[in-house]
Amino acid sequence: MTITQTDTAVLAVDGLRKIYNEGTDQANMAIDRVSFLVEKGEFVCIVGPSGAGKTTLLRCISGLAAPSAGSIAFEGEPLDSVPEQLGLVFQDYSRSLYPWFTNGKNVALPLAARGVPKSERAQRVTQALTSVGLGHVEKKYPWELSGGMQQRVAIARSLSYRPELLLMDEPFASVDAQTRFDLEDLILKVRRELGITVVLVTHDIDEAIYLSDRIVVLSKNPSVVKEVVTVPLGAERSQVETRSSETFLELRSHLLSLVMPNDD
Amino acid sequence: MSMPAHGWIRWILPSLTVLVVLLFWELVTAAGVVSPLQFPSMTDSLEALWREFGSERLWSAVGATMLGWLIGMVITIVLGLVVGTALAFNGFARRSAAPVIELFKAIPSIAILPLVILVLGSTLPMKVFLICFAAFWPFVIQVIYGVQSMDPVVLDTSRALGVRGPRRFFWVSIPSASPYLVTGMRIASAQALILSIVAEIVGGAEGIGRNILLAQNSGTTAYPTMYAYIIVAGLLGILLTGAFFLMERRVMHWHESQRNIRASSKVGRA
Ligand SMILES: Nc1ncnc2c1ncn2[C@@H]1O[C@H](COP(=O)(O)OP(=O)(O)OP(=O)(O)O)[C@@H](O)[C@H]1O
Ligand SMILES: [Mg+2]
């Protein structure tokens, strides 16, 4: 991997290491050494086997957890807390949407925290919900919606304040296949319309190829970057055509050979 | 209610039980099993209760007891939330404070009653102090449990969304801990009522308790009145429990345990 244009990158991860319970006898190295760059407007997927440290990596990138070594820069600034311009979508939407608030209030939460006046909030909430294909759910509670709709609300919540960078941790892992395709296309559409940068963690290779411009392949735990794969599929993608294209299938077999554990 | 048959049974059974107990009371006293001097008949007591309901004396006593309860509860809840949350988030402070809390919780409030009367006299502050002492420790422990049991994803979410400070406290910490908080408030309320009445009986502060004592002191003819006030104390307890139950249903309507109730009452209204 060649490091160029470090200063224009939205996200620069350099030599990141994370050891849980460092200094105790239960020390557990989740990430050994991970470095990669994400340029403005890029869609980057991170794939790796279960337990590789993907969630840990995302928590470090978002500023929720402190790395043990190495550095992370967001828009050129070293990270010490969660930046205002960063959106985060958790894998477990049922726990990350607050059940005591309506969907509207959930989406309005980051806006209120950023001092958006009340009069403007309602309009931006509706806008965010519409952009993920939801209308008339403001007054309902998250637990009154289906899983796919709840994840849409969670996405709307992190888009409502128009972040520069959207981080997603296996956002479509717990919905059915059809909803998954819909949500994949939704996130591509949103990204195109808002021009935001997206980093998405997944364990599904097909999903990673379908969505991304580049794929960071992690080894098994403790993780290092095995390879960064460029995806030359262009900007326009469609579930049926893209997934059956020659390039897609080639990338698929290449990535499979990378992640199969006994191919080392 | 959507199911009238069940609604009937829910009301009729307890009412019947109360009726049976009252009849039993009347029979025991009428048959002379116990002397009417020690234990007045049910009819005499209820008659006294009825008389007192019409008098200003009862209502000012109820007012005084409830005022003590209310001030004590407000102080307990505000202080408990602040101290409990601070301790829940600070491991060092919590470990330091734990033995103190356990010790104070173990001291029965009645044990400090003589001391408090000595310092504060038969006053409202005396009553309120006693109530707080009894209600604060169990409540603060519930607050600590509640905040500590917070799902880490809930906390991560609020950090990721940039919700911090007082907003996080009122919008995230409190609602997420609320199942523990309402339990703590119910315990605190029961403690507060008990200590309020104890402070009135033993400490001589104004209220239902003092009227129980006064009736006892004015001789056997006032015994039915004493029982009337004892019944009032019981009724107050039931009323407060009922009020907390209703509040719990309103405030916690979003919680798993209440969602089917919300759904079924929706059907009932439609
Ligand atoms: N809070 C924690 N304390 C200690 N160890 C942890 C903690 N969180 C994760 N780990 C460990 O770090 C390693 C990586 O976990 P992580 O959740 O990041 O993996 P993952 O790639 O997200 O897995 P999955 O695909 O199953 O979600 C695991 O060995 C896990 O046991
Ligand atoms: Mg994970």
Side-chain angles (χ1 to χ4, degrees):
Chain A
M1 173 179 177
T2 52
I3 295 183
T4 51
Q5 300 172 295
T6 312
D7 41 335
T8 65
V10 174
L11 187 71
V13 180
D14 188 21
L16 179 77
R17 166 174 290 184
K18 177 69 185 179
I19 306 170
Y20 281 109
N21 305 315
E22 203 174 358
T24 70
D25 49 357
Q26 288 159 34
N28 172 15
M29 190 192 285
I31 300 174
D32 185 5
R33 216 181 63 251
V34 167
S35 310
F36 62 95
L37 289 179
V38 179
E39 302 294 338
K40 190 160 176 52
E42 242 189 335
F43 200 128
V44 173
C45 277
I46 297 171
V47 296
S50 185
K54 302 184 295 295
T55 298
T56 306
L57 178 61
L58 220 54
R59 282 175 54 83
C60 289
I61 294 175
S62 62
L64 285 173
S68 307
S71 72
I72 302 157
F74 176 72
E75 305 213 295
E77 301 284 324
L79 205 68
D80 50 2
S81 64
V82 186
E84 290 250 308
Q85 283 309 308
L86 186 137
L88 191 54
V89 176
F90 293 83
Q91 171 171 358
D92 204 344
Y93 47 78
S94 62
R95 286 160 70 199
S96 118
L97 289 173
Y98 294 147
W100 50 86
F101 286 145
T102 57
N103 296 307
K105 192 91 203 288
N106 264 294
V107 176
L109 217 54
L111 297 175
R114 280 162 182 74
V116 175
K118 212 166 188 159
S119 50
E120 203 187 318
R121 261 183 249 163
Q123 181 216 334
R124 292 210 13 204
V125 166
T126 314
Q127 208 175 25
L129 285 170
T130 316
S131 76
V132 297
L134 286 177
H136 310 296
V137 296
E138 275 114 312
K139 293 205 168 63
K140 284 193 171 158
Y141 286 85
W143 37 271
E144 293 177 308
L145 305 181
S146 71
M149 286 165 94
Q150 287 183 40
Q151 192 59 296
R152 281 170 198 255
V153 175
I155 294 170
R157 181 175 62 182
S158 52
L159 291 176
S160 64
Y161 51 97
R162 295 164 195 156
E164 293 285 319
L165 174 64
L166 184 62
L167 300 179
M168 308 177 97
D169 188 3
E170 306 202 26
F172 315 134
S174 39
V175 296
D176 62 272
Q178 180 57 49
T179 310
R180 186 175 187 132
F181 288 154
D182 290 346
L183 288 173
E184 284 169 6
D185 286 332
L186 169 81
I187 206 71
L188 283 178
K189 178 182 81 108
V190 162
R191 175 246 183 163
R192 215 169 25 239
E193 285 170 2
L194 302 182
I196 55 174
T197 313
V198 185
V199 174
L200 186 144
V201 161
T202 178
H203 59 245
D204 182 336
I205 290 171
D206 289 11
E207 179 171 276
I209 304 171
Y210 180 67
L211 291 173
S212 45
D213 300 319
R214 279 191 308 140
I215 302 173
V216 177
V217 184
L218 297 181
S219 71
K220 65 177 194 302
N221 176 290
S223 49
V224 295
V225 176
K226 268 197 166 174
E227 195 178 318
V228 179
V229 179
T230 307
V231 181
L233 282 171
E236 290 301 321
R237 309 200 179 178
S238 88
Q239 294 286 1
V240 179
E241 279 166 41
T242 309
R243 282 176 192 265
S244 54
S245 72
E246 196 71 29
T247 327
F248 189 96
L249 296 174
E250 270 168 26
L251 280 167
R252 189 167 190 266
S253 63
H254 176 59
L255 280 161
L256 266 175
S257 71
L258 277 175
V259 299
M260 290 312 272
N262 43 2
D263 278 16
D264 277 283
Chain B
M1 278 294 118
S2 49
M3 282 174 289
H6 284 192
W8 275 102
I9 287 174
R10 264 200 359 225
W11 284 107
I12 277 195
L13 278 183
S15 314
L16 267 179
T17 318
V18 171
L19 210 69
V20 167
V21 170
L22 288 178
L23 274 176
F24 181 72
W25 177 5
E26 186 66 16
L27 280 177
V28 167
T29 44
V33 179
V34 293
S35 142
L37 293 182
Q38 297 159 352
F39 202 68
S41 72
M42 179 269 280
T43 35
D44 282 351
S45 303
L46 287 190
E47 205 186 301
L49 180 63
W50 182 249
R51 207 171 47 241
E52 290 297 314
F53 265 130
S55 83
E56 201 263 328
R57 188 164 69 152
L58 173 95
W59 297 111
S60 73
V62 169
T65 301
M66 287 313 294
L67 182 67
W69 176 89
L70 184 69
I71 299 177
M73 284 299 283
V74 169
I75 296 177
T76 298
I77 290 171
V78 172
L79 214 63
L81 285 178
V82 173
V83 173
T85 311
L87 289 182
F89 277 121
N90 188 330
F92 177 74
R94 186 175 61 252
R95 277 189 294 279
S96 323
V100 180
I101 294 179
E102 286 304 324
L103 177 71
F104 276 107
K105 200 187 84 176
I107 298 176
S109 317
I110 300 170
I112 63 159
L113 185 63
L115 173 72
V116 183
I117 294 175
L118 196 69
V119 177
L120 295 171
S122 301
T123 57
L124 182 63
M126 178 275 286
K127 199 202 282 186
V128 169
F129 184 88
L130 218 57
I131 290 171
C132 291
F133 190 85
F136 178 76
W137 308 112
F139 181 65
V140 83
I141 288 174
Q142 287 295 314
V143 177
I144 295 175
Y145 282 154
V147 176
Q148 277 191 313
S149 72
M150 185 149 110
D151 186 340
V153 175
V154 167
L155 192 62
D156 275 355
T157 303
S158 86
R159 289 172 62 196
L161 296 177
V163 180
R164 54 178 84 83
R167 280 207 186 90
R168 186 187 293 176
F169 182 73
F170 288 112
W171 292 352
V172 183
S173 306
I174 298 244
S176 123
S178 59
Y180 289 83
L181 300 187
V182 289
T183 307
M185 282 184 210
R186 230 182 8 230
I187 300 171
S189 160
Q191 288 287 321
L193 187 64
I194 291 171
L195 263 293
S196 188
I197 289 170
V198 166
E200 291 154 10
I201 294 181
V202 185
E206 204 196 331
I208 298 173
R210 193 170 69 176
N211 286 19
I212 293 176
L213 190 73
L214 287 179
Q216 186 218 18
N217 288 343
S218 43
T220 49
T221 49
Y223 274 19
T225 316
M226 181 172 85
Y227 277 80
Y229 276 103
I230 294 174
I231 293 173
V232 169
L235 289 178
L236 260 189
I238 293 175
L239 229 79
L240 287 178
T241 310
F244 270 97
F245 178 73
L246 288 181
M247 181 199 77
E248 200 168 328
R249 251 185 31 180
R250 266 195 83 83
V251 177
M252 303 276 299
H253 70 93
W254 54 269
H255 196 257
E256 285 98 304
S257 61
Q258 308 278 346
R259 281 177 202 169
N260 43 3
I261 299 174
R262 179 182 142 97
S264 69
S265 64
K266 237 184 191 169
V267 172
R269 259 188 276 126

